[in-house]
Amino acid sequence: MAVLICGGAGYIGSHAAAELLERNEDVIIIDNLQTGHVESVLKGAVFYEGDLRDEKIMDEIFSAHDITDVMHFAADSLVGVSMKEPLEYYDNNVYGALCLLKKMYQYEVKRIVFSSTAATYGEPETVPITEETPAKPTNPYGQTKLAMEDMMHWCSEAYGMEFTALRYFNVAGAHPHVDIGEDHKPETHLIPIILQTALGQREKIYVFGDDYPTEDGTCIRDYIHVKDLIQAHILALDYLRDGGASDVFNLGNGSGFSVQEVIDTVEKVTGKTIPREIAPRRAGDPPVLIASSEKAKRVLNWKPEYADLGSIVQTAWDWHRRHPQGYSEGDDSK
Ligand SMILES: NC(=O)c1ccc[n+]([C@@H]2O[C@H](COP(=O)([O-])OP(=O)(O)OC[C@H]3O[C@@H](n4cnc5c(N)ncnc54)[C@H](O)[C@@H]3O)[C@@H](O)[C@H]2O)c1
């Protein structure tokens, strides 16, 4: 039995590999390294550098290993780019996912845990967001993730292929004892951007809008620690292995933090002053996005450990301080 991690050299996929290896599972990784890092591939995993859309390498992998389960993280995931290059997003996130599902069908692999996103909800009118909140993506990124959810649904109906679609909110933090962390180029996520400012790599932080109907006027978002997120993936995998039915789950912290609060927390954790400048609101930024993850807690028995923002920022800071330039060539310390 082996778990194939698609996108296992990326930020979240490498944390999944760490957890599965700790459980003594056989881990196979495919990653085309478009945003991933070979340095984040942990010892013990079998690594294939390649693309999901390349049938030759997919056949090689599925024939060489007894793959029983898939965790699918590989995707393009920049909302802004998806607005400008929708075809690129459909190519990777829908066609790439289709190629994966076809190979799973061909090789009779029945279980998949999929990285979906809060972007499937678009700009919901009420919070907290539950799985019952209508999915109305407002960009190609969210739409392509929803398309994969639909494809998995119909594969489940037709072929008995069971899935969990995990709709993440803002993932942050780094592994507390394995040396892996978040290194996106370009970085678009708030916490690492503020940490780059703390490291002197950016001059200041732009706060987009301070006139929202929130306590301090800045947007409120839900931040979930990557370790808690991966714990939910492991529980979702076990749930499917125990015969659980295909389903969709939100994964968030359940408490929101404003942009100002996040900056203040980074100042507290790092001891550095973060220069900030108020900029105009960005189009399509809802004031508050908070998840209800009650379903994951109830059905998967998920118990997140990193509820407070300070500990999320602390683990991220520990990694960024050790790797101010992110992953570097030739780091074979894993
Ligand atoms: N980071 C977040 O806050 C967040 C939030 C919601 C959803 N997600 C989703 O979670 C998943 C993982 O996110 P991440 O932050 O780890 O991103 P990431 O870019 O670090 O990881 C994605 C990995 O997939 C690889 N990849 C992409 N397309 C591929 C292909 N066609 N074939 C093989 N490998 C391919 C990349 O090289 C990369 O290593 C993504 O699907 C993303 O949409 C992330």
Side-chain angles (χ1 to χ4, degrees):
M1 279 172 69
V3 182
L4 174 65
I5 307 183
C6 305
Y11 167 44
I12 302 173
S14 60
H15 284 77
E19 210 61 36
L20 288 166
L21 288 167
E22 207 161 286
R23 278 177 30 130
N24 290 321
E25 303 251 7
D26 285 342
V27 172
I28 318 298
I29 290 174
I30 176 166
D31 199 301
N32 65 5
L33 299 180
Q34 64 173 40
T35 51
H37 306 273
V38 74
E39 298 87 348
S40 76
V41 175
L42 298 171
K43 277 191 184 129
V46 179
F47 176 56
Y48 290 83
E49 182 176 345
D51 195 291
L52 297 179
R53 294 160 289 189
D54 176 353
E55 194 166 4
K56 194 164 158 270
I57 195 163
M58 293 295 271
D59 277 324
E60 190 186 329
I61 294 172
F62 277 89
S63 347
H65 304 279
D66 179 19
I67 292 164
T68 50
D69 309 89
V70 171
M71 284 195 185
H72 179 34
F73 300 92
D76 287 347
S77 39
L78 297 175
V79 169
V81 179
S82 82
M83 296 294 280
K84 292 191 183 120
E85 300 291 349
L87 290 178
E88 207 176 279
Y89 274 65
Y90 276 85
D91 196 313
N92 199 8
N93 299 2
V94 180
Y95 174 62
L98 174 66
C99 293
L100 172 64
L101 289 175
K102 279 181 157 178
K103 284 297 147 197
M104 288 179 64
Y105 177 57
Q106 183 183 338
Y107 290 89
E108 298 179 3
V109 179
K110 294 279 188 193
R111 291 180 291 263
I112 176 165
V113 176
F114 171 59
S115 296
S116 191
T117 166
T120 53
Y121 294 111
E123 296 166 28
E125 279 152 27
T126 52
V127 285
I129 299 165
T130 73
E131 293 80 358
E132 307 305 318
T133 303
K136 289 188 197 159
T138 51
N139 52 63
Y141 167 60
Q143 196 72 60
T144 57
K145 290 284 181 169
L146 199 56
M148 173 56 169
E149 289 191 12
D150 287 342
M151 288 198 289
M152 291 188 301
H153 167 75
W154 293 115
C155 288
S156 163
E157 294 284 309
Y159 316 131
M161 195 188 276
E162 301 301 338
F163 72 89
T164 53
L166 306 179
R167 292 179 175 167
Y168 316 161
F169 284 65
N170 298 280
V171 188
H175 202 290
H177 50 263
V178 180
D179 196 18
I180 48 178
E182 183 169 13
D183 179 10
H184 292 121
K185 291 186 179 75
E187 191 52 79
T188 57
H189 297 137
L190 183 63
I191 292 176
I193 285 181
I194 307 174
L195 292 174
Q196 287 173 350
T197 314
L199 286 165
Q201 295 166 354
R202 289 173 190 256
E203 204 189 311
K204 58 187 161 193
I205 277 290
Y206 291 98
V207 177
F208 297 105
D210 66 348
D211 54 353
Y212 283 96
T214 60
E215 206 160 298
D216 61 24
T218 64
C219 285
I220 293 180
R221 294 290 180 267
D222 184 319
Y223 298 88
I224 172 173
H225 195 282
V226 64
K227 190 94 170 21
D228 283 337
L229 183 94
I230 291 307
Q231 208 46 48
H233 285 63
I234 302 290
L235 292 167
L237 182 66
D238 288 346
Y239 163 84
L240 292 179
R241 285 174 174 173
D242 289 344
S246 293
D247 215 335
V248 175
F249 298 95
N250 283 347
L251 292 180
N253 191 335
S255 12
F257 300 97
S258 74
V259 175
Q260 290 285 15
E261 276 179 289
V262 179
I263 300 174
D264 292 345
T265 305
V266 171
E267 286 193 335
K268 217 175 282 168
V269 167
T270 62
K272 315 260 185 198
T273 302
I274 309 292
R276 51 193 100 174
E277 185 177 313
I278 307 300
R281 288 183 183 198
R282 285 183 304 196
D285 256 353
V288 181
L289 288 176
I290 300 177
S292 161
S293 304
E294 290 312 308
K295 185 173 168 187
K297 289 180 185 159
R298 183 168 34 84
V299 178
L300 302 177
N301 201 20
W302 181 51
K303 296 188 185 79
E305 284 176 34
Y306 295 85
D308 84 290
L309 186 61
S311 57
I312 295 177
V313 170
Q314 184 68 57
T315 59
W317 176 235
D318 291 344
W319 192 80
H320 280 270
R321 216 172 10 175
R322 283 198 306 275
H323 302 275
Q325 304 304 329
Y327 289 103
S328 54
E329 291 295 319
D331 177 358
D332 61 356
S333 59
K334 308 291 154 344

